[in-house]
Amino acid sequence: MSPLSKLFNHARRYRKHAVLASVYSALNKFFDVLPEILIGVAVDVVVSKQDSFLAKIGIADTQSQLIWLGILTVLIWGGESLFQYLYSVAWRDLAQNLQHDLRKEAYAHVQRLELGWFENRSSGNLLSILNDDINQMERFLNTGANMILQIVCSSILISIVFFVIAPGIAVIALLPVPLILYGTFWFQRRLAPRYADVREAAGRIGGRLNNNLFGIATIKSYTAEDFEAAHVDEASRAYVTTNAAAIRLSSAITPVIRMAVLAGFVVTLVYGGYLALHGQIAVGSYSVLVYLTQRLLWPFTGLAEIADLYQRSMASIDRVLGLIQTPLAIPYEGERLPRELVKGAVRLEQVDFSYDGAQPALTGVDLDIAPGQTIGFVGSTGSGKSTLIKLLLRFYTPKSGRILLDGHDISALDLQDLRRAVGYVAQEPFLTDGTIADNIAYGAPSASRADVEAAARSAEAHEFIARLPLGYDTPVGERGQKLSGGQRQRIALARAILKSPPILVLDEATSAVDNETEAAIQRSLARVSRGRTTLVIAHRLSTVRQADIIHVLEHGRIVESGKHDALLDRGGIYAGLWRLQTGELDTAGAT
């Protein structure tokens, strides 16, 4: 199935719109062809007078014939203009609506894809598909589809006129058409893979630019502007080289078609003139044939532009539909579990997981968390702490074993219900480009301003928010760049508090903040953890010191568990980490 067929098969709801737009295009072309026929009729009136075609159908007076020609000309041009307006609006409306629906559908599908899918793909390439590729499809529907239809319609209409007036000339004049079509399709088949490569090259440029813009502060701090500019230059040159190969091939179409058009036109001009001179066809008919030959064959020179636009669009449509049709590894639908019924009991049974299928991230993890407990997870980088949380949120699926929430296997739960039950505060929280109030109410859009402020007070964020010129209406900027790291963390915590989830997760939320912010988060945590299951991943052990149970992970296994004091008394890994962080190890070494 061709990409265009896939597109219209995918967008069934727009078939009536496409048919109506096509009818308008055909009617416009019908009226567009008629003026050339009128020119022939006018010549016939001037040359033949009372023996003209119009005289034979009952309009004998030459003056009346000219008046009727004028009236018909106005009507024909009016009809052509009307249907040009209608097809222009219809095709553009179709293009706009279809690109809107495709972009919305593609983005909605991307949001449902599992986290692991994103780790192997460039965000810049995804942006290229969601934006540029869909726009490329829109450009084709705006102009290319109408141009193809009008060439087909004009070919049919003019061929009918040719065969009515001079069948012999028609056969000879139309001989180049099959050659033109065959040549066009021959070029198209060779253009398709080239334009697929062009779209991939464009995606790589987008990925490089997107990556650099996100890391602009690092680039500046390391004075790596020239280094990164060279990378962009390399990606851009690759795009230019790839595109040049396609351009060279597409540019060859027009000269080939021109030669075929010339052959048809010369035949009509010479052979038709010969027939007119010898009285075998009327002078007016000869005039019509000369004009119509040009009208028939000359539009075929536009096939080069159409073929180029078509192949670029088909390459884009393939990428967009390929994205939409990417299967979901983690289904969203499942057993319903409303948030208000969740108690917060979590159990892991012999959970194994690996990101790459080779190196284990978790091995044989057994864990039982009672509702309302505050549980701390500590360990070195790569020990598996954050992986536990990602599995609980079903960003990934365990290789073996299972995770239960209140006795329900989370793999069978509705994914939205599961995630609504969890308030998640990441190490680097995401803030949307809105106001502070918008970000706090992100998970609860119906919350009142009083609810937003209460959540901010619980997160000890109200004081710094009140000092801002616009208070809760202060814009945070893209990704919250107008705020400090500690301020972003407190807003993220307020957002989780306002969501009021049965389970609260803090994934190293204090690892990159100052002591004052850490103390504020700890005070907030002591308040908001009451009555809900709270899971805290921490590098700073002071954050989990008051936890009901602390689990120490090493190489994907839980190697120690217990309260803070008990773990210190044991003198194991946790005790070593505590001494390292508090400076006791240095003191002991000095003595």
Side-chain angles (χ1 to χ4, degrees):
M1 186 181 291
S2 71
L4 191 60
S5 299
K6 290 180 185 177
L7 175 64
F8 282 101
N9 185 57
H10 183 78
R12 292 184 181 89
R13 58 177 294 197
Y14 290 110
R15 285 183 177 178
K16 289 183 179 179
H17 297 76
V19 169
L20 188 60
S22 300
V23 169
Y24 291 151
S25 293
L27 288 173
N28 168 259
K29 184 49 63 177
F30 171 75
F31 282 101
D32 183 50
V33 168
L34 291 180
E36 273 72 16
I37 297 177
L38 286 182
I39 291 174
V41 173
V43 171
D44 186 48
V45 167
V46 172
V47 173
S48 302
K49 297 182 177 60
Q50 281 79 13
D51 295 324
S52 68
F53 170 76
L54 290 180
K56 291 176 182 178
I57 63 173
I59 308 173
D61 181 61
T62 53
Q63 191 69 28
S64 298
Q65 291 177 7
L66 292 174
I67 291 172
W68 273 106
L69 281 176
I71 293 171
L72 287 173
T73 300
V74 171
L75 292 175
I76 288 170
W77 280 61
E80 181 188 358
S81 300
L82 171 64
F83 287 108
Q84 182 176 10
Y85 169 77
L86 291 175
Y87 83 63
S88 180
V89 171
W91 281 116
R92 289 182 181 183
D93 281 349
L94 175 63
Q96 289 293 318
N97 291 330
L98 189 53
Q99 66 92 12
H100 169 71
D101 283 356
L102 270 181
R103 182 176 286 112
K104 183 173 66 174
E105 184 179 355
Y107 178 69
H109 186 74
V110 165
Q111 288 192 120
R112 293 165 67 89
L113 290 168
E114 65 281 4
L115 202 60
W117 185 87
F118 291 91
E119 293 176 352
N120 299 316
R121 282 153 182 91
S122 161
S123 58
N125 193 43
L126 281 176
L127 287 173
S128 177
I129 294 174
L130 292 171
N131 191 39
D132 191 42
D133 283 334
I134 290 178
N135 289 341
Q136 188 72 47
M137 177 275 299
E138 179 197 357
R139 285 191 285 272
F140 170 71
L141 288 179
N142 272 339
T143 57
N146 173 67
M147 291 171 68
I148 291 173
L149 278 170
Q150 294 216 325
I151 287 176
V152 171
C153 290
S154 66
S155 299
I156 294 172
L157 291 171
I158 294 172
S159 297
I160 292 172
V161 175
F162 258 71
F163 278 102
V164 170
I165 296 175
I169 295 179
V171 172
I172 298 173
L174 293 174
L175 278 178
V177 173
L179 297 176
I180 291 171
L181 295 176
Y182 175 79
T184 302
F185 290 127
W186 185 89
F187 277 107
Q188 280 184 353
R189 285 195 298 272
R190 283 150 184 80
L191 277 172
R194 285 174 168 81
Y195 280 130
D197 293 340
V198 169
R199 299 314 313 150
E200 289 298 324
R204 286 192 290 272
I205 292 177
R208 171 61 64 182
L209 293 172
N210 184 64
N211 183 70
N212 286 6
L213 290 174
F214 276 134
I216 192 68
T218 302
I219 292 171
K220 287 179 174 293
S221 67
Y222 281 88
T223 63
E225 292 90 343
D226 292 342
F227 178 76
E228 291 299 342
H231 276 166
V232 171
D233 177 72
E234 180 183 353
S236 184
R237 284 182 184 277
Y239 172 77
V240 169
T241 302
T242 306
N243 207 14
I247 290 171
R248 282 192 294 271
L249 185 60
S250 67
S251 298
I253 302 176
T254 298
V256 172
I257 292 176
R258 277 178 181 271
M259 294 300 102
V261 168
L262 176 63
F265 184 75
V266 168
V267 167
T268 304
L269 187 68
V270 175
Y271 183 54
Y274 173 83
L275 294 178
L277 286 172
H278 290 78
Q280 297 182 30
I281 60 172
V283 175
S285 297
Y286 173 61
S287 302
V288 171
L289 292 177
V290 171
Y291 279 115
L292 287 183
T293 301
Q294 186 171 357
R295 290 300 304 273
L296 169 66
L297 298 179
W298 191 253
F300 281 101
T301 61
L303 283 177
E305 179 185 348
I306 297 172
D308 186 78
L309 182 61
Y310 175 82
Q311 288 301 345
R312 287 179 183 271
S313 301
M314 293 309 102
S316 295
I317 289 169
D318 256 349
R319 278 161 48 95
V320 174
L321 295 182
L323 177 61
I324 291 175
Q325 292 161 5
T326 302
L328 299 177
I330 301 178
Y332 264 57
E333 293 73 21
E335 176 188 347
R336 300 306 306 268
L337 184 63
R339 184 176 61 179
E340 57 270 17
L341 300 181
V342 176
K343 296 180 177 62
V346 178
R347 179 175 176 80
L348 281 73
E349 297 178 348
Q350 286 295 301
V351 171
D352 294 336
F353 178 74
S354 172
Y355 287 100
D356 58 10
Q359 185 68 28
L362 292 176
T363 305
V365 174
D366 280 310
L367 194 58
D368 208 343
I369 301 172
Q373 280 190 320
T374 296
I375 307 298
F377 296 95
V378 301
S380 58
T381 299
S383 60
K385 307 183 298 297
S386 295
T387 301
L388 283 173
I389 302 306
K390 292 175 181 177
L391 293 178
L392 174 62
L393 286 163
R394 288 203 74 200
F395 292 157
Y396 299 92
T397 299
K399 180 181 178 182
S400 62
R402 61 178 187 159
I403 302 174
L404 307 176
L405 174 59
D406 292 346
H408 302 272
D409 190 332
I410 65 170
S411 64
L413 291 177
D414 181 270
L415 199 55
Q416 298 285 54
D417 282 351
L418 170 66
R419 291 173 180 170
R420 288 189 185 104
V422 181
Y424 179 57
V425 182
Q427 180 179 358
E428 297 180 4
F430 165 76
L431 297 187
T432 186
D433 188 9
T435 66
I436 288 176
D438 293 336
N439 277 278
I440 294 177
Y442 192 69
S446 60
S448 67
R449 180 55 65 92
D451 294 332
V452 169
E453 185 174 323
R457 289 183 184 276
S458 295
E460 298 204 11
H462 176 76
E463 185 177 340
F464 88 78
I465 295 173
R467 290 197 301 265
L468 296 172
L470 298 178
Y472 285 87
D473 295 316
T474 301
V476 302
E478 187 178 10
R479 301 186 310 280
Q481 61 186 355
K482 293 184 179 180
L483 303 177
S484 69
Q487 290 171 335
R488 289 196 295 270
Q489 280 291 7
R490 284 191 245 186
I491 289 174
L493 181 57
R495 179 168 61 194
I497 292 170
L498 183 59
K499 185 180 178 183
S500 190
I503 301 172
L504 180 63
V505 174
L506 276 73
D507 188 358
E508 298 186 10
T510 63
S511 63
V513 298
D514 54 49
N515 292 331
E516 180 185 351
T517 301
E518 182 190 11
I521 291 176
Q522 287 179 356
R523 290 192 298 269
S524 301
L525 186 59
R527 289 191 298 271
V528 302
S529 61
R530 298 190 191 106
R532 60 167 50 95
T533 303
T534 306
L535 311 180
V536 184
I537 296 173
H539 272 305
R540 294 184 179 180
L541 303 187
S542 55
T543 307
V544 296
R545 183 173 183 176
Q546 303 302 323
D548 296 315
I549 300 176
I550 301 169
H551 296 289
V552 182
L553 281 86
E554 194 70 27
H555 303 304
R557 298 177 182 273
I558 296 177
V559 293
E560 292 180 2
S561 299
K563 288 184 174 292
H564 172 76
D565 291 337
L567 290 172
L568 287 183
D569 292 340
R570 184 180 297 178
I573 296 175
Y574 182 85
L577 291 172
W578 179 261
R579 289 195 300 270
L580 185 63
Q581 290 190 14
T582 58
E584 293 179 14
L585 191 63
D586 292 340
T587 304
T591 57

